[in-house]
Structures are given as structure tokens and as C-alpha cells.
Amino acid sequence: VLYGPPGIGKTSLAWCVANITKSYYAGINATTSNVEELRKLIAQAKLRKSGTGQKTILFIDEIHRFNKAQQDVLLPDVEDGNPVLIGATVHNPFFSLAAPLVSRSLVCELKPLKEKDIIDILLAALKDKTKGLGAIKVDIDKKALGFIAKASEGDARRALNALEVGVLTTPKSKDGAVQFTLEVAEDSIQKKAVVYDKDEDGHYDTASAFIKSMRGS
């Protein structure tokens, strides 16, 4: 069970496990799935294993959305490792999942991505010509890159969405490149940069706002 905040790569990690182990990947979302689909996927996994010897990774996103009866359907086959279950949740599984399922699982808590990790992901997306934005010439400001990384609060999905929105909606300059500035970044992620400077007006404006908020409370 992969437990952690959104946008840190839980689904990607499950896909990587299936790819590295050469397992068949079957992914569903608990918000739209039901017992009938679970039984069907489990039956297919058994046939696949008996026929070709290939294991099945059953990935269930938002697994906490399954009720106790739905979770109980998984128990016998998960215990036998057929299929191999990987569940993802943003809620603490020790409270949100049934105890029998948790006792048969390895719970891995994943932490939010660091700003450096987000920047690396954004730069990779800008270079990738197949699945990213590499086919478009983008001149991105370091401040804009850092701002998106900070404003996304460890959520890579949010950061990538902001980058894509900014690149695709900003008109190209005369040299054919998209000028991705701090202003573009603010509009793309719908959040303004907080102006704070130690020695100039931003410091006093921030202190004044803080004092007024305390007074108002």
C-alpha cells in the first residue's frame, strides 16, 4: 500500500514495479470500480498465471474508497499473491483500510517531493520531445521554474499542469520561442509570488499585514 500526498508518483511507481518485474499491469480506480470488476480481474490474473506464468500487478488507486465488503473480496487472492496488489491512498491506511487487508500488506509512506525534484521533473518535461514539450522552444526564467516548484507544494502533477498551460497559452516571441516568465508562471498555477525582501518595502508590508491580521483576530 503506497500512502502519501497526491502527485508524488504512486501510480508511476506501481507501473515501474510491473515493468521491471515483467508483470501484467491492470489498473483501476476505487471510485468507479465494483466487486464484479474485481472478480473479473482476479479471474483473468489466475488464467494468465496458469497459462503463461506471468504475474499480474493489480493497481487500485484511491483504495480507501472501497468499503469493507469490497476489500474482503481481495483477501484470499492477495494472500496467495495472485494477483499482486498495489494500492494507493492519500489517507492513513491504518485508519482508512480494513485491518485484515492492512495485515496482509506492506505499507510504504511516501513523502512530498522536494523543490529540487520538481525542478528536475519540469526540466525533463521541457526536453522530452515524445511525451513532453521538447518540440517547442521554451526560454524559461529560473525564477519561474523555482516559483512553480515551490507553489506546487510537492505535487509533480500540479507542477507539470502549470508548465503545460503556460507553454501552450503563451504567444511565441519573434525568435519563435515561448518566453516563460515569472508572470506566466503565476498565471499558470493561479498563485501569486509573495514579495518579501529583508531591507526594502516588502519587509514592512509583510510585517504590517501580519500585525493587522493579529489585531483583526
Side-chain angles (χ1 to χ4, degrees), residues 22-112:
K22 294 180 171 57
S23 302
Y24 182 86
Y25 178 86
I28 60 173
N29 192 302
T31 58
T32 57
S33 187
N34 52 43
V35 170
E36 184 181 353
E37 185 178 19
L38 284 177
R39 294 189 190 281
K40 183 179 178 181
L41 289 171
I42 291 170
Q44 290 173 347
K46 289 180 179 178
L47 286 173
R48 192 175 295 112
K49 189 174 183 180
S50 61
T52 64
Q54 185 183 30
K55 290 184 178 180
T56 298
I57 297 289
L58 174 58
F59 176 71
I60 303 178
D61 199 9
E62 307 287 345
I63 192 171
H64 62 274
R65 292 294 192 96
F66 274 157
N67 58 40
K68 188 178 183 301
Q70 289 170 311
Q71 292 181 38
D72 287 345
V73 171
L74 295 164
L75 293 179
D77 296 286
V78 166
E79 197 164 17
D80 293 336
N82 183 41
V84 177
L85 172 67
I86 298 181
T89 178
V90 296
H91 296 290
N92 189 328
F94 293 103
F95 297 105
S96 60
L97 297 183
L101 185 60
V102 173
S103 69
R104 290 167 172 79
S105 305
L106 174 66
V107 177
C108 301
E109 182 178 0
L110 306 181
K111 302 296 183 180

Side-chain angles (χ1 to χ4, degrees), residues 127-202:
K127 293 177 182 177
D128 193 331
K129 292 183 179 181
T130 306
K131 296 181 179 180
L133 299 163
I136 304 171
K137 186 180 178 182
V138 181
D139 293 334
I140 189 164
D141 190 326
K142 284 186 178 180
K143 289 183 178 179
L145 202 61
F147 175 71
I148 290 179
K150 186 174 183 178
S152 60
E153 299 175 336
D155 187 333
R157 188 186 298 110
R158 186 181 176 193
L160 287 169
N161 286 341
L163 180 68
E164 185 178 27
V165 167
V167 169
L168 297 182
T169 59
T170 303
K172 294 180 180 179
S173 57
K174 291 180 180 180
D175 64 354
V178 172
Q179 301 299 322
F180 202 106
T181 62
L182 177 59
E183 185 180 359
V184 172
E186 290 175 335
D187 289 339
S188 301
I189 205 165
Q190 294 296 298
K191 193 172 183 179
K192 295 295 180 184
V194 177
V195 178
Y196 183 84
D197 39 44
K198 187 175 181 182
D199 302 316
E200 298 182 30
D201 291 344

